[in-house]
Amino acid sequence: MVYQSQAVAKPYFIAAIGLFVGQVMFGLILGLQYVIGDFLFPTIPFNVARMVHTNLLIVWLLFGFMGATYYLIPEEAETELHSPRLAIITFWVFLAAGVLTILGYLMVPYATLAEATGNSLLPTMGREFLEQPTLTKIGIVVVALAFLYNVGITVLKGKKTVINTVLLLGLTGLALMFLFAFYNPSALTLDKYYWWWVVHLWVEGVWELILGAILAFVLIKVTGVDREVIEKWLYVIIAAALVTGIIGTGHHYYWIGAPEYWQWWGSIFSALEPLPFFMMTLFAFNMVNRRRRNHPNKAATLWALGTAVMAFLGAGVWGFLHTLAPVNFYTHGTQITAAHGHLAFFGAYVMIVLTIISYAAPQLLGQGEARSNRQQVLEMWSFWLMSVAMVFIVLFLTGAGILQIWLQRVSENPQPFMAVQEQIALFYWMRTVAGIVFFIGVMVFVASFLVKGREVARETPAAIEAAA
Amino acid sequence: MSASFTKSMARNIFYGGTVFFILVFLALTFDTTRALPARDHRENLTAQVAEGKEVWEKNNCIGCHTLLGEGAYFAPELGNVYERFGNNKEAIKIFIKTRPRNGVPGRRSMPQFNLSDEELEAVAEFLKYTSEIDTASWPPNIQG
């Protein structure tokens, strides 16, 4: 840690990990409800558990992005953060808003929550991922503005690097696109059209800028490769992301009532969407191969490489799998979508947040450049447990999806939804087992912070490693 | 990457490409917005349909169902449920109304939402309206 104010990242990272644990616990509940239909019914019906699962994901990733920003902006701008106090205040406001919203979901019926928070004045609730009460949404905007002001001023008074410029662009885009959450027209197709401006233009648009910037920062630190080279790669990757991703929004417009030319625009551009993720994989491995130092934080390097690979598989390969209109005609709204969603979110966004946490943790905890060997070994175990378990979750969901499509949409006698669900239950059971392994992986990650290690990891001089 | 390809070239591709495709996207959006009223039968969007959409949202129906393929994948697609129920609004209303309060042992069950008669009528109207949107022949068959 070079600047004192980088320490404000710490509570953000702690909150992120805490909410991540909660998110995965609700994932397990959902997995069980798929096979034991009345599990926790009617106390926590599926729709409530799912809302908690997806909203916790979004909130903890945002905590992760903000923590990452507070950590890397002072170091990049080479100046202290404009106001560490404001950063701490917004932390508590955001945490309180998040926790209250989740408690609201769990404690009262959703319709009651909608009434209590005055949803009828400006109805924005009840749309997937944007279930938060309008009041919470306003709170998110206020927090985002305070956050952008704080980091914006910091960058203005400090050095403007490619990394902090791209990061700020991504974060500003994130806040800007969220404003479409307040637009909820009565015409369903119009509503869906702009709903995707939040959802798609986040995860397949501006969030990729944030991902790229954080990855580039960590790679500069752990490989010691020349900044010029890394920044050039960063520009090329995010150019590919936005050039393909913006029109790629069209792959959501095939069947919601929009004109049919979207089948062409969407198919062509989204078929190219794996490109930036493939480049990211080349980039990460190239930089690590050309490293000028052997950073003692081996776990962080592993997370960085893992992010690139898993993001390519999840967002790139599993996205391409069902993005062409003639294929999507059959896969749309099935377990194939769920499979893709899980691997893409995990590979791209969960892993990049865990990467920056892994890199920053030893410095925030006063352990120097790296945590002890024992702690890093645990962390690497958690990396493999989570990654392998997620791959299996996704393979099982893909299997379920293929069978579902066949039985419900392709075979000569298409069967009703529920009849099909019963026949593919075995895949849901296997998915739940893989989910438990994933949860163990999360626990091992947490445990790596609770154990003490005597021996502190040191850098192996490059010369020695080269000789060996 | 080769040295002749400089960082400022990469930067220009990023800014130029992004701005260009934002403009293309906005142009397509403009055209879509003009084409939509005919495709979603805006003339049928009554106050009751709008109210039905609010009932749909207020009870978080999207948390289990898909609507035109979007939502959760735990319960059936409802974009075409009006047709699946034999073009019968009454059947939809009776289904929603008669869900058991404590579920069905061992099985998935829709919660009892205690909707008023007015809300039931509105949500049924909304589902009828939705079934008439021109979705390029999706879903592949009546099962959704």
Side-chain angles (χ1 to χ4, degrees):
Chain A
M1 209 164 68
V2 190
Y3 295 88
Q4 213 60 45
S5 53
Q6 287 178 282
V8 297
K10 194 170 157 186
Y12 283 87
F13 288 152
I14 294 172
I17 296 171
L19 298 174
F20 179 33
V21 172
Q23 187 221 340
V24 176
M25 281 167 46
F26 275 86
L28 291 178
I29 292 176
L30 293 165
L32 282 172
Q33 288 180 331
Y34 255 91
V35 281
I36 309 170
D38 64 342
F39 182 63
L40 296 180
F41 191 90
T43 321
I44 307 179
F46 183 89
N47 69 329
V48 172
R50 183 182 197 262
M51 192 160 57
V52 174
H53 180 65
T54 57
N55 284 217
L56 277 176
L57 168 69
I58 297 167
V59 172
W60 87 257
L61 289 180
L62 291 180
F63 267 117
F65 290 165
M66 290 194 277
T69 307
Y70 286 131
Y71 185 81
L72 69 79
I73 285 284
E75 212 166 307
E76 282 292 302
E78 294 179 3
T79 175
E80 292 287 353
L81 183 69
H82 171 63
S83 169
R85 223 183 112 187
L86 181 61
I88 295 298
I89 294 172
T90 50
F91 168 79
W92 288 109
V93 173
F94 194 50
L95 187 66
V99 170
L100 283 175
T101 302
I102 299 296
L103 287 178
Y105 291 162
L106 288 168
M107 287 163 74
V108 294
Y110 191 68
T112 314
L113 184 66
E115 252 154 62
T117 54
N119 188 54
S120 51
L121 296 174
L122 178 61
T124 67
M125 293 173 71
R127 295 174 302 152
E128 195 186 4
F129 311 129
L130 302 182
E131 294 93 345
Q132 314 81 36
T134 305
L135 274 176
T136 306
K137 289 195 181 89
I138 294 171
I140 293 173
V141 171
V142 172
V143 168
L145 285 177
F147 166 74
L148 285 176
Y149 162 79
N150 206 354
V151 289
I153 296 286
T154 311
V155 172
L156 277 181
K157 73 174 180 188
K159 208 169 136 193
K160 289 135 203 93
T161 66
V162 175
I163 288 180
N164 61 24
T165 310
V166 170
L167 183 63
L168 261 183
L169 263 176
L171 293 165
T172 311
L174 185 156
L176 215 61
M177 298 326 290
F178 184 68
L179 296 179
F180 285 94
F182 292 94
Y183 179 56
N184 181 15
S186 297
L188 182 65
T189 303
L190 205 58
D191 168 15
K192 285 175 174 289
Y193 190 91
Y194 287 101
W195 176 81
W196 282 114
W197 287 34
V198 185
V199 178
H200 175 95
L201 291 176
W202 264 18
V203 298
E204 290 167 61
V206 290
W207 284 28
E208 286 185 48
L209 269 54
I210 299 169
L211 161 62
I214 298 174
L215 188 62
F217 174 81
V218 174
L219 285 174
I220 287 181
K221 299 293 165 185
V222 298
T223 66
V225 170
D226 187 19
R227 178 179 281 273
E228 281 296 305
V229 178
I230 287 192
E231 291 180 338
K232 188 162 75 176
W233 271 95
L234 177 59
Y235 268 135
V236 173
I237 288 169
I238 59 171
L242 293 191
V243 162
T244 60
I246 293 171
I247 306 287
T249 315
H251 62 201
H252 302 292
Y253 294 161
Y254 302 159
W255 327 114
I256 62 166
E260 274 144 57
Y261 55 65
W262 282 111
Q263 293 181 26
W264 289 97
W265 288 102
S267 296
I268 292 166
F269 279 84
S270 64
L272 298 171
E273 276 188 56
L275 202 66
F277 289 103
F278 183 66
M279 292 198 291
M280 211 179 279
T281 310
L282 288 182
F283 167 55
F285 278 86
N286 244 309
M287 295 308 109
V288 172
N289 281 337
R290 287 159 63 175
R291 67 187 178 277
R292 291 194 178 161
R293 61 173 298 198
N294 288 309
H295 198 283
N297 192 343
K298 298 223 166 19
T301 313
L302 180 65
W303 281 110
L305 291 173
T307 303
V309 173
M310 297 294 276
F312 172 62
L313 284 178
V317 177
W318 253 259
F320 179 76
L321 206 65
H322 61 146
T323 202
L324 299 175
V327 176
N328 192 261
F329 183 69
Y330 292 100
T331 58
H332 183 51
T334 64
Q335 296 298 324
I336 299 289
T337 318
H340 160 62
H342 278 84
L343 199 54
F345 260 103
F346 175 72
Y349 300 118
V350 170
M351 288 184 81
I352 193 62
V353 171
L354 297 183
T355 301
I356 186 73
I357 290 178
S358 173
Y359 174 74
Q363 322 205 22
L364 291 170
L365 295 170
Q367 285 176 287
E369 279 204 298
R371 300 161 73 203
S372 71
N373 277 335
R374 192 170 157 217
Q375 290 169 318
Q376 286 198 50
V377 166
L378 274 178
E379 221 187 299
M380 292 187 196
W381 267 100
S382 81
F383 169 91
W384 287 108
L385 281 169
M386 277 191 244
S387 301
V388 172
M390 184 52 83
V391 165
F392 275 97
I393 289 174
V394 167
L395 288 175
F396 293 141
L397 286 177
T398 306
I402 293 170
L403 275 177
Q404 179 188 13
I405 291 162
W406 182 260
L407 294 170
Q408 190 182 316
R409 292 184 174 168
V410 180
S411 72
E412 274 183 33
N413 296 306
Q415 298 174 47
F417 179 90
M418 280 314 300
V420 171
Q421 291 297 306
E422 276 168 31
Q423 293 169 72
I424 59 181
L426 177 64
F427 284 87
Y428 293 141
W429 273 114
M430 294 193 290
R431 180 268 300 267
T432 307
V433 173
I436 292 167
V437 177
F438 187 90
F439 182 68
I440 294 171
V442 179
M443 288 292 103
V444 173
F445 186 79
V446 173
S448 79
F449 289 94
L450 305 178
V451 300
K452 282 212 178 72
R454 269 159 291 147
E455 169 202 358
V456 173
R458 286 221 176 74
E459 176 159 10
T460 23
I464 295 177
E465 192 161 288
Chain B
M1 253 183 270
S2 86
S4 60
F5 181 71
T6 63
K7 190 169 93 179
S8 70
M9 286 159 82
R11 186 192 58 212
N12 294 344
I13 291 174
F14 167 65
Y15 284 110
T18 302
V19 169
F20 178 76
F21 283 104
I22 287 177
L23 292 175
V24 174
F25 189 57
L26 288 178
L28 288 168
T29 296
F30 180 70
D31 185 76
T32 299
T33 313
R34 288 209 312 183
L36 276 189
R39 296 184 60 90
D40 66 14
H41 296 285
R42 206 67 60 84
E43 72 279 4
N44 296 340
L45 206 168
T46 60
Q48 199 175 30
V49 171
E51 193 202 331
K53 183 166 179 278
E54 265 192 75
V55 175
W56 165 271
E57 289 165 357
K58 245 173 58 181
N59 291 285
N60 194 30
C61 308
I62 205 81
C64 292
H65 293 280
T66 50
L67 190 67
L68 304 185
E70 294 165 2
Y73 320 103
F74 189 69
E77 162 67 28
L78 296 185
N80 65 343
V81 72
Y82 176 70
E83 288 153 20
R84 196 158 60 240
F85 277 25
N87 297 323
N88 187 345
K89 276 196 300 178
E90 285 311 305
I92 293 175
K93 286 159 67 178
I94 291 170
F95 186 91
I96 300 173
K97 219 159 132 177
T98 55
R99 292 306 91 202
R101 194 161 302 280
N102 290 313
V104 184
R107 298 177 58 86
R108 299 183 200 174
S109 171
M110 183 164 140
Q112 174 52 259
F113 286 105
N114 303 312
L115 300 187
S116 70
D117 287 344
E118 190 196 326
E119 289 175 318
L120 280 168
E121 184 63 36
V123 84
E125 254 322 303
F126 169 65
L127 292 172
K128 176 174 180 287
Y129 164 84
T130 304
S131 74
E132 288 159 0
I133 294 174
D134 182 354
T135 55
S137 309
W138 193 89
N141 65 54
I142 196 71
Q143 303 297 356

